[in-house]
Amino acid sequence: MSVKLFIPGPIAVSEKTYKAMARPMIGHRSPDFVELYKSVQPGLQQMFGTKNPVYLSTSSAWGVMEGSVNNLCRKKVLNCMCGAFSDKWNDVSLRNGLEAEKLQVEWGKPIRPEALDQALSSGEFDVVTLVHNETSTGVMSPLPQLAEVLNKYPDVISVVDTVSSFSAVPMLKDDWGIDVIVTGSQKALALPPGLSLMTVSDRALNRADQMNNRGYYFDLIEFQKNHEKGMTPSTPNIPLIYALQEKVEEVLKEGLENRYKRHESLNAMVHEWVKSNGFNFFAEEGFRSKSLTCVANSRAIDLPALNKILKEEFKMVIDGGYGKIKGKSFRISNMGDENEQTMTELLNNLTAVLARIA
Ligand SMILES: *Cc1c(COP(=O)(O)O)cnc(C)c1O
């Protein structure tokens, strides 16, 4: 029997999704592909809250995260940093030879609008990177309020990572006035890894158009030109696009509002478990993610021992903490297709294991 993943990505993939992936191959320049590509656009636009095109990139999210700063930064990028993924974006910017500055806050805290405003007021920056849901710390930064600040700076292009929040909480790209949103397949969408999605404003495309050295694989202008034909620049991972098509249909059938509510209530179940088992939260109150929970290991539980029993006896795994907070925290995902029954099962199993090791 296989082991079910409750780590915050990759997460469990349904039989329905695997079946969708097993459809016969088609040519990526064929009318069948154009039909497939076009079929996912309206649903994805609804999910992102945008009229902008949604590009499909055969890469994990880091591909388009790196590509977007490379395509858009002429002057200097401000990297808002509050955990492993957002911190890494600064490293990635520097490795691409960009001028980059840190807006660093302590792990467990969100990026606050006032801090962003203060940093941007120097006028040095033309790109900002933000991670909406910092998967390493379980912090969700207040995107609508941050977007309000960004709107005061029309020369600054915003690039937002929603890898672990997309489709789990409302996303209103156009209303909020965000330029670029990127996400990946293997987190909240519950698809296998290897595909990323990116939606880009006209303003950002215009900026990219004026830039030299955009590279090829992640060139936004290439994505746009091919998008106009219903295609991707190079041969995409077609099975994952089949899976995406099936998933988008499923999401719309569930209804976005119902999907958000489901995640909220499953997340609340995990929160209840955390409190009733005497743990603390790693993330500051008021800024806790709805798609995963980062638990402070305040009882100093032997996490490898916990996961070993959970895996061997109950065929499930959670995450034992990411990066520098490994062992000091653990993370429980409620993303994707989970429901009250599957989460109850996980939490009951966790309680049973804790009784044995603690
Ligand atoms: C997982 C994750 C990424 C990186 O995704 P890859 O698929 O490894 O490229 C980036 N940002 C966040 C917030 C993530 O959770």
Side-chain angles (χ1 to χ4, degrees):
M1 201 180 126
S2 61
V3 171
K4 181 162 179 185
L5 299 180
F6 284 92
I7 61 174
I11 64 166
V13 175
S14 71
E15 278 304 312
K16 204 171 163 191
T17 293
Y18 286 128
K19 281 211 183 93
M21 292 177 73
R23 281 156 54 187
M25 203 42 54
I26 52 176
H28 70 296
R29 301 294 181 222
S30 70
D32 287 342
F33 181 81
V34 173
E35 194 182 314
L36 171 66
Y37 183 95
K38 288 189 170 164
S39 75
V40 297
Q41 290 294 322
L44 290 174
Q45 285 172 319
Q46 200 181 325
M47 291 160 76
F48 278 111
T50 190
K51 291 197 170 64
N52 296 141
V54 180
Y55 309 141
L56 309 181
S57 170
T58 294
S59 66
S60 80
W62 272 118
V64 290
M65 288 164 75
E66 172 172 87
S68 50
V69 289
N70 233 344
N71 270 250
L72 297 168
C73 180
R74 278 185 303 211
K75 281 169 30 185
K76 198 172 187 183
V77 52
L78 178 70
N79 303 115
C80 299
M81 299 158 66
C82 62
F85 294 102
S86 48
D87 287 9
K88 181 91 186 161
W89 220 343
N90 180 248
D91 178 38
V92 169
S93 304
L94 293 170
R95 287 190 200 203
N96 278 275
L98 301 174
E99 283 224 52
E101 201 167 299
K102 301 173 178 180
L103 169 55
Q104 176 87 66
V105 304
E106 198 187 323
W107 285 26
K109 307 251 182 264
I111 303 297
R112 292 178 192 275
E114 311 80 62
L116 179 63
D117 202 359
Q118 201 190 352
L120 290 179
S121 66
S122 73
E124 289 172 78
F125 303 103
D126 61 351
V127 174
V128 168
T129 68
L130 265 174
V131 171
H132 179 214
N133 197 55
E134 190 29 275
T135 319
S136 61
T137 61
V139 167
M140 187 140 64
S141 286
L143 195 48
Q145 288 83 342
L146 292 165
E148 257 175 57
V149 171
L150 288 162
N151 288 329
K152 287 171 57 183
Y153 300 93
D155 297 331
V156 178
I157 301 276
S158 49
V159 186
V160 180
D161 162 334
T162 64
V163 173
S164 60
S165 54
F166 179 67
S167 87
V169 298
M171 202 60 63
L172 302 169
K173 179 180 182 293
D174 291 354
D175 285 357
W176 293 340
I178 293 167
D179 289 294
V180 179
I181 301 187
V182 304
T183 193
S185 52
Q186 80 276 23
K187 308 261 171 103
L189 281 175
L191 301 175
L195 190 71
S196 53
L197 316 178
M198 173 171 47
T199 173
V200 178
S201 68
D202 290 341
R203 213 163 79 101
L205 275 182
N206 288 337
R207 167 78 64 84
D209 205 26
Q210 295 158 22
M211 300 273 296
N212 301 316
N213 304 321
R214 294 187 302 266
Y216 167 67
Y217 199 73
F218 297 111
D219 179 357
L220 297 183
I221 303 301
E222 283 289 342
F223 273 105
Q224 176 57 28
K225 278 187 187 155
N226 280 276
H227 171 84
E228 287 163 15
K229 297 184 281 187
M231 292 179 193
T232 54
S234 36
T235 319
N237 188 328
I238 293 167
L240 278 177
I241 302 177
Y242 284 143
L244 177 67
Q245 183 188 46
E246 190 281 319
K247 180 56 71 178
V248 169
E249 274 172 26
E250 197 182 298
V251 169
L252 296 183
K253 198 164 154 208
E254 178 179 18
L256 282 174
E257 289 306 322
N258 292 335
R259 189 174 174 86
Y260 305 147
K261 273 194 213 125
R262 173 166 61 84
H263 284 92
E264 176 137 25
S265 78
L266 299 181
N267 188 252
M269 285 170 64
V270 179
H271 281 217
E272 274 311 306
W273 181 90
V274 169
K275 288 184 220 158
S276 62
N277 283 276
F279 289 104
N280 298 328
F281 295 93
F282 189 80
E284 186 177 326
E285 190 166 9
F287 302 98
R288 291 174 189 151
S289 168
K290 301 286 181 200
S291 61
L292 74 131
T293 306
C294 186
V295 187
N297 188 11
S298 39
R299 288 174 54 186
I301 298 297
D302 180 347
L303 293 171
L306 177 138
N307 245 341
K308 187 165 187 285
I309 302 176
L310 190 65
K311 183 175 178 189
E312 284 172 3
E313 286 187 29
F314 299 104
K315 307 293 175 204
M316 293 178 171
V317 283
I318 60 163
D319 171 87
Y322 193 100
K324 67 183 185 191
I325 54 173
K326 189 180 170 81
K328 293 187 193 131
S329 64
F330 58 98
R331 300 178 301 163
I332 301 170
S333 164
N334 61 274
M335 293 177 208
D337 304 331
E338 300 313 327
N339 57 41
E340 204 173 310
Q341 189 196 331
T342 61
M343 290 309 294
T344 302
E345 221 178 300
L346 168 72
L347 297 174
N348 287 345
N349 292 345
L350 279 174
T351 306
V353 178
L354 270 184
R356 282 171 43 191
I357 64 164

